[in-house]
Amino acid sequence: MAIGVFDSGIGGLSVHHALVDRFPQTDFVYLGDQAHAPYGPRAGPEIVELTRAGCGTLFARGCDLVVLACNTASAIALRQLQQDWLPGERTRLGRPVNVLGIIVPTIEAATGVQWEQNPPPRGEKLEQLDVIGVFCTRATAASRVYEIEIDKRRTDVAAFSEPCVSLAGLIESGAPRAELKALVDRHVEALTRRIGRAPDRAILGCTHYEITADLFTDALPPGTPLIHQPGATADALARYLQRRPDYATGGSGLRTFLTTGTPGAQHALAEAFWGAPLSFQAV
Ligand code: DGL
């Protein structure tokens, strides 16, 4: 069985990279919905429909498991697809297909509380909070998923999201580093002003941002820890596969890269991140 990895574009490569390192023998099919990137500015129903179509393509390519390497799709579409679409799809395909998101592993990594664990009793409101800054797309910020889910689990941790409205689109198009740096600096400043101080930790809550993680490291106060989604997602997938041995992932380490957009080589920023030439095939 191959594992599918889905994103609106090249951002999910950051997660894919960690998965490939963790599961070198597994076959992976990557799909970037580049014809419709970026997702962040789109309306909810559109994000749901595009995510459904992307997962459908990966199931049709033989994947039983799809990792949504996209916060926007995970925040907006995942629950609805799990409830309204996947049960019928399993019957139609006659196999136990599933879709996993990346927000749950990130929240587990940020709070140290596993998803299935009962939230600890709510304590006193603390004077001194551990403040996490979440840099993400507009749709993810509007969903407030990080604020809500972190608050349920930890009263001593507060999340503040900063929508970086045009950043994913600029990374997707391979914009010059100076332009990306100016934008990242502006968003770190804006969040710091809003919180009243710099965050203690940060989540790069859009997989595209991981490609330019060094710009966030430079803009944040020295030593601010980043909670990295790719590693957290690989850990969560390893735990999932232990619980679900029926998703046997034996393979020969085959890597396929698909796009709904223009096939061929990807730009220098994506290739530099990936560390090798990258060529996407048309779906
Ligand atoms: N990389 C995606 C995310 O994690 C989507 C960015 C976008 O398409 O706006 O949110």
Side-chain angles (χ1 to χ4, degrees):
M1 175 200 77
I3 295 184
V5 180
F6 178 73
D7 182 41
S8 62
I10 58 166
L13 289 173
S14 56
V15 174
H16 184 253
H17 206 300
L19 298 181
V20 163
D21 280 353
R22 187 68 64 91
F23 307 98
Q25 293 308 315
T26 301
D27 295 342
F28 282 95
V29 183
Y30 185 88
L31 171 60
D33 188 11
Q34 292 179 301
H36 304 104
Y39 279 12
R42 291 182 183 275
E46 242 184 321
I47 296 170
V48 174
E49 184 45 33
L50 292 170
T51 306
R52 189 202 59 72
C55 293
T57 300
L58 287 165
F59 293 155
R61 294 278 176 147
C63 302
D64 285 347
L65 212 51
V66 171
V67 175
L68 287 186
C70 175
N71 289 265
T72 310
S74 301
I76 308 299
L78 182 56
R79 185 172 301 176
Q80 195 173 327
L81 295 182
Q82 281 170 336
Q83 285 172 357
D84 301 344
W85 178 64
L86 276 172
E89 197 61 5
R90 289 182 188 119
T91 311
R92 194 180 70 79
L93 294 169
R95 21 191 260 267
V97 292
N98 204 7
V99 180
L100 308 174
I102 59 169
I103 290 178
V104 168
T106 310
I107 287 171
E108 288 177 338
T111 61
V113 179
Q114 296 299 298
W115 200 253
E116 306 77 23
Q117 236 168 289
N118 286 327
R122 296 191 72 82
E124 296 290 308
K125 205 73 192 161
L126 297 176
E127 289 300 318
Q128 189 59 45
L129 287 174
D130 173 15
V131 173
I132 301 183
V134 184
F135 298 93
C136 57
T137 66
R138 179 159 65 199
T140 302
S143 78
R144 300 194 72 252
V145 62
Y146 282 105
E147 284 87 338
I148 293 167
E149 297 298 340
I150 288 174
D151 185 64
K152 269 189 208 161
R153 288 164 179 79
R154 293 281 298 263
T155 45
D156 57 339
V157 180
F160 289 82
S161 293
E162 168 69 11
C164 307
V165 175
S166 53
L167 186 57
L170 287 173
I171 295 171
E172 184 65 34
S173 63
R177 193 173 156 83
E179 192 178 343
L180 300 175
K181 176 176 166 29
L183 199 55
V184 168
D185 287 352
R186 257 208 329 271
H187 283 298
V188 170
E189 270 167 40
L191 183 67
T192 302
R193 255 200 323 276
R194 199 145 48 77
I195 301 173
R197 66 178 173 91
D200 301 306
R201 298 186 281 155
I203 292 173
L204 302 188
C206 167
T207 52
H208 280 74
Y209 305 168
E210 196 66 42
I211 291 175
T212 55
D214 61 318
L215 296 180
F216 284 92
T217 302
D218 291 350
L220 288 160
T224 307
L226 294 185
I227 297 157
H228 289 285
Q229 297 196 301
T233 307
D235 291 344
L237 182 60
R239 290 196 298 271
Y240 182 83
L241 291 173
Q242 247 169 16
R243 288 198 305 276
R244 294 292 309 264
D246 47 322
Y247 286 110
T249 61
S252 51
L254 202 68
R255 319 274 175 249
T256 308
F257 295 91
L258 305 174
T259 180
T260 57
T262 311
Q266 297 300 301
H267 55 63
L269 183 61
E271 289 201 339
F273 174 80
W274 186 252
L278 260 178
S279 188
F280 284 15
Q281 302 162 24
V283 279

